[in-house]
Amino acid sequence: MTISRTRSMLLILPAAILVFGFIMLPYISVLVMSFRLPGEGQTPYGEGFGLTAYESFFSQPYYLDSLPQTLWMGALTTFLCLVLAYPVALHIALASRRWRGLLYGLVLSPLLVGIVVRSYGWTILLGNAGVINTVLRDWGLISRPIPLMYNDFGVILALAHVFLPFMVLPLLSTLSQMDHSVAQAARSLGAKRFTVFRRVTLPMSMPGIQSGCILVFVLAVSSYVTPALIGGMRVKTTTILVVDALLDQYQWPFGAAMALVLAVSAGIIVLIFSRLTRMKWK
């Protein structure tokens, strides 16, 4: 028993070192940095420890107001991805084996393009002189450009496009493993399509919904490139403010504190969502 346990620990040791070195250690470093005192001039942090960074964040409405906005935008992005991804995943799951591979490849194809390129593509579509406004103006439907960029609408739309595959994949995995004969049996017993979806398909697909929502929400609230390109300087998310504090203001404790507050807030929301969905659909 002792030899077997020793071998198991030796097998786990490389993975444990990687997890600690590349995941736990950076988090510990950020946590320690958030309690450092602010530096002066080009010094990123001063000597000693304190709560100055957290006090600065919670006492300044400019920074504090960005937190609920970031979480709200992440929630809307997650909901939009769920609404768009569910029919796609269900259609692929019910498709024949001949078409399933092709449709699966189409879902994965956006991941082959960098997030910067995909986000920049939305600037071409949504800009004041972009494709959408140009077409609408040429057709005589508008007299002045519609503000589609540099606002929450443009950022949420672009985020939903960027992270849509991350919602489709967990849903597709769950829907593909479902026993669709149960839904067919409910239909044969006289249940309407919406009733079958609400009472059979939706509850059975909740593991995929839960996984996809958590994944997209975490990615959306921590996204930097898309809000920076689509929102510019008018849409302030906590992630943008964190990067600004670290690189422009050169205040590492303040940036670390904002990053931890965002991470803890998102973690609480994920925990509440997990508990509610588990209790509701158990």
Side-chain angles (χ1 to χ4, degrees), residues 35-52:
F35 290 101
R36 299 298 296 263
L37 296 178
E40 298 180 359
Q42 295 299 317
T43 304
Y45 55 89
E47 298 180 357
F49 295 88
L51 299 175
T52 305

Side-chain angles (χ1 to χ4, degrees), residues 20-33 259-260 263:
F20 179 79
F22 291 97
I23 297 180
M24 298 302 299
L25 194 59
Y27 274 110
I28 295 174
S29 177
V30 172
L31 177 62
V32 174
M33 180 60 65
L260 284 176

Side-chain angles (χ1 to χ4, degrees), residues 119-278:
S119 300
Y120 184 74
W122 279 103
T123 65
I124 300 175
L125 292 174
L126 303 178
N128 290 336
V131 176
I132 296 177
N133 277 310
T134 300
V135 171
L136 294 178
R137 187 168 56 250
D138 292 343
W139 287 355
L141 299 177
I142 58 174
S143 58
R144 62 180 62 182
I146 302 175
L148 301 176
M149 274 186 59
Y150 308 120
N151 51 33
D152 293 351
F153 170 79
V155 174
I156 293 173
L157 183 63
L159 286 174
H161 167 258
V162 169
F163 297 127
L164 185 62
F166 296 97
M167 181 68 76
V168 175
L169 295 179
L171 286 173
L172 181 58
S173 177
T174 301
L175 291 172
S176 299
Q177 298 175 7
M178 283 176 47
D179 186 2
H180 296 285
S181 62
V182 179
Q184 296 175 359
R187 286 284 295 164
S188 66
L189 293 174
K192 297 181 179 181
R193 291 184 179 273
F194 180 74
T195 303
V196 173
F197 173 76
R198 182 175 62 87
R199 300 292 298 272
V200 179
T201 306
L202 188 61
M204 294 178 66
S205 62
M206 274 307 297
I209 293 176
Q210 188 181 73
S211 301
C213 288
I214 292 175
L215 181 60
V216 171
F217 177 76
V218 172
L219 291 173
V221 297
S222 61
S223 177
Y224 170 76
V225 174
T226 302
L229 288 176
I230 306 300
M233 300 302 295
R234 301 181 185 179
V235 178
K236 286 293 185 181
T237 63
T238 305
T239 310
I240 293 178
L241 297 179
V242 168
V243 176
D244 181 69
L246 294 175
L247 300 182
D248 295 338
Q249 301 178 22
Y250 216 53
Q251 292 294 325
W252 292 4
F254 187 53
M258 284 194 294
L260 284 176
V261 171
L262 176 62
V264 171
S265 301
I268 292 174
I269 293 178
V270 168
L271 180 61
I272 293 175
F273 174 76
S274 301
R275 297 282 295 180
L276 290 177
T277 51
R278 186 184 67 177

Side-chain angles (χ1 to χ4, degrees), residues 63-74:
Y63 295 100
L64 185 60
D65 292 343
S66 68
L67 180 61
Q69 181 181 7
T70 303
L71 298 175
W72 176 244
M73 290 175 59

